[in-house]
Amino acid sequence: MKPIGVLVMAHGTPHSLDELPAFYTEIRRGNPPPAELLADLERRYRRIGGTSPLHDRTASQVEGIRRALEERASGRFLVEAGAKFAAPRIADAVGALGRGGAGRLVGLVLAPHFSAASVGDYARRARAAAETLAPSEGGPLEVQMIDHWHLAPGFVPLLVQRVHDAVDQLPPDARFSATVIFTAHSIPARLVDEGDPYAAQVLESATTIAEAAGLERWSVAWQSAGRTADAWLGPDVRDVIAALPGTGASAVVVCPVGFVSDHLEVLYDIDIEARSVADDVGIPFARTASLNDDPEFCDMLADVVLDVVEAAHA
């Protein structure tokens, strides 16, 4: 029996500032960014050290998933990483899986919630690469996508522990009335109006985590909205933090429930921008630790893959 290929997909990041103009142009669907936008993005990268750790974090996560699947079902799976906007690309990973002898593919995106603009786009890219893979490379291949895993067994406990740990980072007298803000990347509001389940899934995650953590004060906010003419989901996390004084909140904890690793949207948008707002209004701030390559997280994702594969054979 041929092994099953596991295609683990992520956004991708430039490997150096020299790659930033081409990276930003591709994200903008081939439209070069205005000079001021490019300069601002470069400034953000420089504030977090010049490059994002996303590439290395993703590689470590993929290795963790590979290890966990091998422990659970030795020889049954091949695992490769593919990114949308950086090497190795999704098509590169599909090719590697085909050449490795995979009989079919399971697609897993390193994002818990489904949106047509995010996971849906990964799925389209994966299927296009698999359907056009040459016979000499083992193609064409069928792709079974995992659309979402925001309530997968094990996910909520990992975030509950991180929420508790973040609250413990606050000054002792600020912990009791701290508010927790769950965030995810904003998307154009029209998508939700058209029936996209993304916002509802983010709320499901937040509600389940808040209830399991015993939180009394919590909310959902959005971050990292695109700079387009479209209306994007709100409220923005910075606005929510700015409005906390006067609500009785003694401190704020931000839990980026929509992200699974340290990268620009966490290290800059939360750790620098959101923290700056909290400092400006005079309330203590903490952020939950990212999942990164926590072995328990990688084990959980391996179990998600196994559950989908087993269900397909039931």
Side-chain angles (χ1 to χ4, degrees), residues 198-223:
Y198 180 70
Q201 288 183 3
V202 171
L203 179 59
E204 284 180 337
S205 290
T207 301
T208 307
I209 295 164
E211 290 177 352
L215 302 181
E216 295 184 2
R217 295 174 174 269
W218 65 274
S219 64
V220 171
W222 304 93
Q223 62 169 92

PDB file of all heavy atoms in Angstrom, residues 198-223:
ATOM      1  N   TYR A 198     -15.619  31.831   9.216  1.00  0.00           N
ATOM      2  CA  TYR A 198     -14.405  32.162   9.962  1.00  0.00           C
ATOM      3  C   TYR A 198     -14.703  32.843  11.300  1.00  0.00           C
ATOM      4  O   TYR A 198     -14.227  32.399  12.359  1.00  0.00           O
ATOM      5  CB  TYR A 198     -13.533  33.063   9.088  1.00  0.00           C
ATOM      6  CG  TYR A 198     -12.234  33.521   9.693  1.00  0.00           C
ATOM      7  CD1 TYR A 198     -11.186  32.636   9.897  1.00  0.00           C
ATOM      8  CD2 TYR A 198     -12.031  34.863  10.028  1.00  0.00           C
ATOM      9  CE1 TYR A 198      -9.977  33.066  10.421  1.00  0.00           C
ATOM     10  CE2 TYR A 198     -10.828  35.303  10.549  1.00  0.00           C
ATOM     11  CZ  TYR A 198      -9.804  34.405  10.744  1.00  0.00           C
ATOM     12  OH  TYR A 198      -8.609  34.843  11.267  1.00  0.00           O
ATOM     13  N   ALA A 199     -15.468  33.907  11.282  1.00  0.00           N
ATOM     14  CA  ALA A 199     -15.727  34.658  12.520  1.00  0.00           C
ATOM     15  C   ALA A 199     -16.454  33.790  13.539  1.00  0.00           C
ATOM     16  O   ALA A 199     -16.154  33.851  14.746  1.00  0.00           O
ATOM     17  CB  ALA A 199     -16.532  35.917  12.218  1.00  0.00           C
ATOM     18  N   ALA A 200     -17.386  32.975  13.079  1.00  0.00           N
ATOM     19  CA  ALA A 200     -18.121  32.097  13.996  1.00  0.00           C
ATOM     20  C   ALA A 200     -17.196  31.058  14.613  1.00  0.00           C
ATOM     21  O   ALA A 200     -17.318  30.725  15.802  1.00  0.00           O
ATOM     22  CB  ALA A 200     -19.269  31.413  13.259  1.00  0.00           C
ATOM     23  N   GLN A 201     -16.261  30.528  13.834  1.00  0.00           N
ATOM     24  CA  GLN A 201     -15.327  29.541  14.373  1.00  0.00           C
ATOM     25  C   GLN A 201     -14.370  30.164  15.384  1.00  0.00           C
ATOM     26  O   GLN A 201     -14.050  29.545  16.407  1.00  0.00           O
ATOM     27  CB  GLN A 201     -14.549  28.877  13.236  1.00  0.00           C
ATOM     28  CG  GLN A 201     -15.389  27.927  12.394  1.00  0.00           C
ATOM     29  CD  GLN A 201     -14.578  27.222  11.321  1.00  0.00           C
ATOM     30  OE1 GLN A 201     -13.365  27.386  11.225  1.00  0.00           O
ATOM     31  NE2 GLN A 201     -15.242  26.429  10.501  1.00  0.00           N
ATOM     32  N   VAL A 202     -13.911  31.379  15.106  1.00  0.00           N
ATOM     33  CA  VAL A 202     -13.048  32.065  16.077  1.00  0.00           C
ATOM     34  C   VAL A 202     -13.806  32.264  17.391  1.00  0.00           C
ATOM     35  O   VAL A 202     -13.261  32.045  18.478  1.00  0.00           O
ATOM     36  CB  VAL A 202     -12.546  33.404  15.511  1.00  0.00           C
ATOM     37  CG1 VAL A 202     -11.825  34.215  16.596  1.00  0.00           C
ATOM     38  CG2 VAL A 202     -11.615  33.175  14.321  1.00  0.00           C
ATOM     39  N   LEU A 203     -15.063  32.674  17.294  1.00  0.00           N
ATOM     40  CA  LEU A 203     -15.871  32.854  18.501  1.00  0.00           C
ATOM     41  C   LEU A 203     -16.069  31.526  19.230  1.00  0.00           C
ATOM     42  O   LEU A 203     -16.034  31.483  20.467  1.00  0.00           O
ATOM     43  CB  LEU A 203     -17.225  33.467  18.140  1.00  0.00           C
ATOM     44  CG  LEU A 203     -18.196  33.689  19.309  1.00  0.00           C
ATOM     45  CD1 LEU A 203     -17.581  34.607  20.360  1.00  0.00           C
ATOM     46  CD2 LEU A 203     -19.518  34.250  18.796  1.00  0.00           C
ATOM     47  N   GLU A 204     -16.250  30.438  18.484  1.00  0.00           N
ATOM     48  CA  GLU A 204     -16.383  29.117  19.117  1.00  0.00           C
ATOM     49  C   GLU A 204     -15.129  28.762  19.906  1.00  0.00           C
ATOM     50  O   GLU A 204     -15.213  28.276  21.040  1.00  0.00           O
ATOM     51  CB  GLU A 204     -16.645  28.051  18.057  1.00  0.00           C
ATOM     52  CG  GLU A 204     -18.054  28.026  17.514  1.00  0.00           C
ATOM     53  CD  GLU A 204     -18.242  26.941  16.464  1.00  0.00           C
ATOM     54  OE1 GLU A 204     -17.248  26.503  15.847  1.00  0.00           O
ATOM     55  OE2 GLU A 204     -19.394  26.522  16.272  1.00  0.00           O
ATOM     56  N   SER A 205     -13.981  28.969  19.297  1.00  0.00           N
ATOM     57  CA  SER A 205     -12.725  28.693  20.003  1.00  0.00           C
ATOM     58  C   SER A 205     -12.628  29.533  21.270  1.00  0.00           C
ATOM     59  O   SER A 205     -12.327  29.019  22.362  1.00  0.00           O
ATOM     60  CB  SER A 205     -11.515  28.991  19.105  1.00  0.00           C
ATOM     61  OG  SER A 205     -11.398  28.078  18.058  1.00  0.00           O
ATOM     62  N   ALA A 206     -12.862  30.832  21.126  1.00  0.00           N
ATOM     63  CA  ALA A 206     -12.727  31.739  22.264  1.00  0.00           C
ATOM     64  C   ALA A 206     -13.695  31.363  23.380  1.00  0.00           C
ATOM     65  O   ALA A 206     -13.320  31.333  24.564  1.00  0.00           O
ATOM     66  CB  ALA A 206     -12.955  33.177  21.813  1.00  0.00           C
ATOM     67  N   THR A 207     -14.931  31.085  23.031  1.00  0.00           N
ATOM     68  CA  THR A 207     -15.942  30.741  24.032  1.00  0.00           C
ATOM     69  C   THR A 207     -15.562  29.465  24.772  1.00  0.00           C
ATOM     70  O   THR A 207     -15.655  29.400  26.012  1.00  0.00           O
ATOM     71  CB  THR A 207     -17.313  30.561  23.359  1.00  0.00           C
ATOM     72  OG1 THR A 207     -17.686  31.772  22.686  1.00  0.00           O
ATOM     73  CG2 THR A 207     -18.377  30.208  24.380  1.00  0.00           C
ATOM     74  N   THR A 208     -15.120  28.463  24.029  1.00  0.00           N
ATOM     75  CA  THR A 208     -14.767  27.182  24.647  1.00  0.00           C
ATOM     76  C   THR A 208     -13.558  27.328  25.563  1.00  0.00           C
ATOM     77  O   THR A 208     -13.523  26.771  26.672  1.00  0.00           O
ATOM     78  CB  THR A 208     -14.485  26.131  23.563  1.00  0.00           C
ATOM     79  OG1 THR A 208     -15.587  26.068  22.661  1.00  0.00           O
ATOM     80  CG2 THR A 208     -14.284  24.756  24.183  1.00  0.00           C
ATOM     81  N   ILE A 209     -12.563  28.085  25.122  1.00  0.00           N
ATOM     82  CA  ILE A 209     -11.365  28.302  25.950  1.00  0.00           C
ATOM     83  C   ILE A 209     -11.725  29.116  27.198  1.00  0.00           C
ATOM     84  O   ILE A 209     -11.296  28.790  28.310  1.00  0.00           O
ATOM     85  CB  ILE A 209     -10.272  29.011  25.136  1.00  0.00           C
ATOM     86  CG1 ILE A 209      -9.794  28.117  23.999  1.00  0.00           C
ATOM     87  CG2 ILE A 209      -9.096  29.409  26.034  1.00  0.00           C
ATOM     88  CD1 ILE A 209      -9.005  28.855  22.934  1.00  0.00           C
ATOM     89  N   ALA A 210     -12.508  30.171  27.009  1.00  0.00           N
ATOM     90  CA  ALA A 210     -12.882  31.029  28.140  1.00  0.00           C
ATOM     91  C   ALA A 210     -13.659  30.246  29.189  1.00  0.00           C
ATOM     92  O   ALA A 210     -13.422  30.394  30.397  1.00  0.00           O
ATOM     93  CB  ALA A 210     -13.697  32.215  27.640  1.00  0.00           C
ATOM     94  N   GLU A 211     -14.581  29.404  28.739  1.00  0.00           N
ATOM     95  CA  GLU A 211     -15.371  28.612  29.692  1.00  0.00           C
ATOM     96  C   GLU A 211     -14.483  27.605  30.421  1.00  0.00           C
ATOM     97  O   GLU A 211     -14.586  27.437  31.646  1.00  0.00           O
ATOM     98  CB  GLU A 211     -16.505  27.899  28.958  1.00  0.00           C
ATOM     99  CG  GLU A 211     -17.591  28.847  28.463  1.00  0.00           C
ATOM    100  CD  GLU A 211     -18.669  28.143  27.674  1.00  0.00           C
ATOM    101  OE1 GLU A 211     -18.498  26.935  27.370  1.00  0.00           O
ATOM    102  OE2 GLU A 211     -19.696  28.786  27.354  1.00  0.00           O
ATOM    103  N   ALA A 212     -13.586  26.954  29.681  1.00  0.00           N
ATOM    104  CA  ALA A 212     -12.708  25.965  30.311  1.00  0.00           C
ATOM    105  C   ALA A 212     -11.721  26.626  31.266  1.00  0.00           C
ATOM    106  O   ALA A 212     -11.308  26.017  32.264  1.00  0.00           O
ATOM    107  CB  ALA A 212     -11.958  25.179  29.238  1.00  0.00           C
ATOM    108  N   ALA A 213     -11.326  27.860  30.971  1.00  0.00           N
ATOM    109  CA  ALA A 213     -10.378  28.575  31.825  1.00  0.00           C
ATOM    110  C   ALA A 213     -11.065  29.286  32.983  1.00  0.00           C
ATOM    111  O   ALA A 213     -10.384  29.843  33.859  1.00  0.00           O
ATOM    112  CB  ALA A 213      -9.596  29.596  30.989  1.00  0.00           C
ATOM    113  N   GLY A 214     -12.387  29.304  32.990  1.00  0.00           N
ATOM    114  CA  GLY A 214     -13.122  29.975  34.058  1.00  0.00           C
ATOM    115  C   GLY A 214     -13.029  31.487  33.994  1.00  0.00           C
ATOM    116  O   GLY A 214     -13.051  32.158  35.028  1.00  0.00           O
ATOM    117  N   LEU A 215     -12.960  32.032  32.774  1.00  0.00           N
ATOM    118  CA  LEU A 215     -12.808  33.488  32.628  1.00  0.00           C
ATOM    119  C   LEU A 215     -14.140  34.194  32.817  1.00  0.00           C
ATOM    120  O   LEU A 215     -15.169  33.762  32.298  1.00  0.00           O
ATOM    121  CB  LEU A 215     -12.249  33.823  31.241  1.00  0.00           C
ATOM    122  CG  LEU A 215     -10.901  33.208  30.857  1.00  0.00           C
ATOM    123  CD1 LEU A 215     -10.495  33.675  29.461  1.00  0.00           C
ATOM    124  CD2 LEU A 215      -9.834  33.571  31.884  1.00  0.00           C
ATOM    125  N   GLU A 216     -14.093  35.307  33.529  1.00  0.00           N
ATOM    126  CA  GLU A 216     -15.287  36.139  33.687  1.00  0.00           C
ATOM    127  C   GLU A 216     -15.262  37.323  32.733  1.00  0.00           C
ATOM    128  O   GLU A 216     -16.319  37.799  32.307  1.00  0.00           O
ATOM    129  CB  GLU A 216     -15.391  36.633  35.128  1.00  0.00           C
ATOM    130  CG  GLU A 216     -15.613  35.515  36.142  1.00  0.00           C
ATOM    131  CD  GLU A 216     -15.798  36.041  37.546  1.00  0.00           C
ATOM    132  OE1 GLU A 216     -15.794  37.277  37.726  1.00  0.00           O
ATOM    133  OE2 GLU A 216     -15.946  35.220  38.470  1.00  0.00           O
ATOM    134  N   ARG A 217     -14.071  37.811  32.417  1.00  0.00           N
ATOM    135  CA  ARG A 217     -13.923  38.963  31.526  1.00  0.00           C
ATOM    136  C   ARG A 217     -13.156  38.525  30.278  1.00  0.00           C
ATOM    137  O   ARG A 217     -11.980  38.174  30.373  1.00  0.00           O
ATOM    138  CB  ARG A 217     -13.138  40.092  32.219  1.00  0.00           C
ATOM    139  CG  ARG A 217     -13.834  40.710  33.419  1.00  0.00           C
ATOM    140  CD  ARG A 217     -12.890  41.690  34.098  1.00  0.00           C
ATOM    141  NE  ARG A 217     -13.506  42.419  35.169  1.00  0.00           N
ATOM    142  CZ  ARG A 217     -14.111  43.592  35.033  1.00  0.00           C
ATOM    143  NH1 ARG A 217     -14.147  44.179  33.836  1.00  0.00           N
ATOM    144  NH2 ARG A 217     -14.656  44.200  36.057  1.00  0.00           N
ATOM    145  N   TRP A 218     -13.812  38.537  29.148  1.00  0.00           N
ATOM    146  CA  TRP A 218     -13.113  38.193  27.912  1.00  0.00           C
ATOM    147  C   TRP A 218     -13.913  38.715  26.722  1.00  0.00           C
ATOM    148  O   TRP A 218     -15.105  39.014  26.831  1.00  0.00           O
ATOM    149  CB  TRP A 218     -12.906  36.681  27.795  1.00  0.00           C
ATOM    150  CG  TRP A 218     -14.182  35.880  27.660  1.00  0.00           C
ATOM    151  CD1 TRP A 218     -14.961  35.414  28.678  1.00  0.00           C
ATOM    152  CD2 TRP A 218     -14.818  35.478  26.447  1.00  0.00           C
ATOM    153  NE1 TRP A 218     -16.049  34.741  28.174  1.00  0.00           N
ATOM    154  CE2 TRP A 218     -15.984  34.759  26.804  1.00  0.00           C
ATOM    155  CE3 TRP A 218     -14.517  35.637  25.098  1.00  0.00           C
ATOM    156  CZ2 TRP A 218     -16.844  34.215  25.855  1.00  0.00           C
ATOM    157  CZ3 TRP A 218     -15.366  35.091  24.150  1.00  0.00           C
ATOM    158  CH2 TRP A 218     -16.517  34.389  24.525  1.00  0.00           C
ATOM    159  N   SER A 219     -13.246  38.814  25.586  1.00  0.00           N
ATOM    160  CA  SER A 219     -13.909  39.247  24.356  1.00  0.00           C
ATOM    161  C   SER A 219     -13.091  38.772  23.170  1.00  0.00           C
ATOM    162  O   SER A 219     -11.977  38.254  23.317  1.00  0.00           O
ATOM    163  CB  SER A 219     -14.054  40.777  24.317  1.00  0.00           C
ATOM    164  OG  SER A 219     -12.782  41.399  24.287  1.00  0.00           O
ATOM    165  N   VAL A 220     -13.645  38.951  21.985  1.00  0.00           N
ATOM    166  CA  VAL A 220     -12.959  38.646  20.730  1.00  0.00           C
ATOM    167  C   VAL A 220     -12.695  39.962  20.009  1.00  0.00           C
ATOM    168  O   VAL A 220     -13.569  40.838  19.947  1.00  0.00           O
ATOM    169  CB  VAL A 220     -13.800  37.719  19.830  1.00  0.00           C
ATOM    170  CG1 VAL A 220     -13.173  37.586  18.449  1.00  0.00           C
ATOM    171  CG2 VAL A 220     -13.943  36.343  20.473  1.00  0.00           C
ATOM    172  N   ALA A 221     -11.497  40.107  19.496  1.00  0.00           N
ATOM    173  CA  ALA A 221     -11.154  41.273  18.685  1.00  0.00           C
ATOM    174  C   ALA A 221     -10.316  40.799  17.511  1.00  0.00           C
ATOM    175  O   ALA A 221      -9.921  39.625  17.432  1.00  0.00           O
ATOM    176  CB  ALA A 221     -10.392  42.309  19.509  1.00  0.00           C
ATOM    177  N   TRP A 222     -10.027  41.715  16.605  1.00  0.00           N
ATOM    178  CA  TRP A 222      -9.348  41.352  15.366  1.00  0.00           C
ATOM    179  C   TRP A 222      -8.071  42.168  15.215  1.00  0.00           C
ATOM    180  O   TRP A 222      -7.916  43.209  15.840  1.00  0.00           O
ATOM    181  CB  TRP A 222     -10.291  41.562  14.175  1.00  0.00           C
ATOM    182  CG  TRP A 222     -11.563  40.789  14.379  1.00  0.00           C
ATOM    183  CD1 TRP A 222     -12.721  41.254  14.949  1.00  0.00           C
ATOM    184  CD2 TRP A 222     -11.793  39.413  14.104  1.00  0.00           C
ATOM    185  NE1 TRP A 222     -13.661  40.253  15.024  1.00  0.00           N
ATOM    186  CE2 TRP A 222     -13.116  39.105  14.514  1.00  0.00           C
ATOM    187  CE3 TRP A 222     -11.010  38.405  13.533  1.00  0.00           C
ATOM    188  CZ2 TRP A 222     -13.663  37.837  14.377  1.00  0.00           C
ATOM    189  CZ3 TRP A 222     -11.560  37.139  13.393  1.00  0.00           C
ATOM    190  CH2 TRP A 222     -12.869  36.864  13.813  1.00  0.00           C
ATOM    191  N   GLN A 223      -7.179  41.688  14.398  1.00  0.00           N
ATOM    192  CA  GLN A 223      -5.889  42.361  14.263  1.00  0.00           C
ATOM    193  C   GLN A 223      -5.367  42.214  12.840  1.00  0.00           C
ATOM    194  O   GLN A 223      -5.861  41.407  12.057  1.00  0.00           O
ATOM    195  CB  GLN A 223      -4.875  41.775  15.236  1.00  0.00           C
ATOM    196  CG  GLN A 223      -4.570  40.300  14.997  1.00  0.00           C
ATOM    197  CD  GLN A 223      -3.379  39.814  15.795  1.00  0.00           C
ATOM    198  OE1 GLN A 223      -3.551  39.319  16.913  1.00  0.00           O
ATOM    199  NE2 GLN A 223      -2.185  39.939  15.225  1.00  0.00           N
TER     200      GLN A 223
END
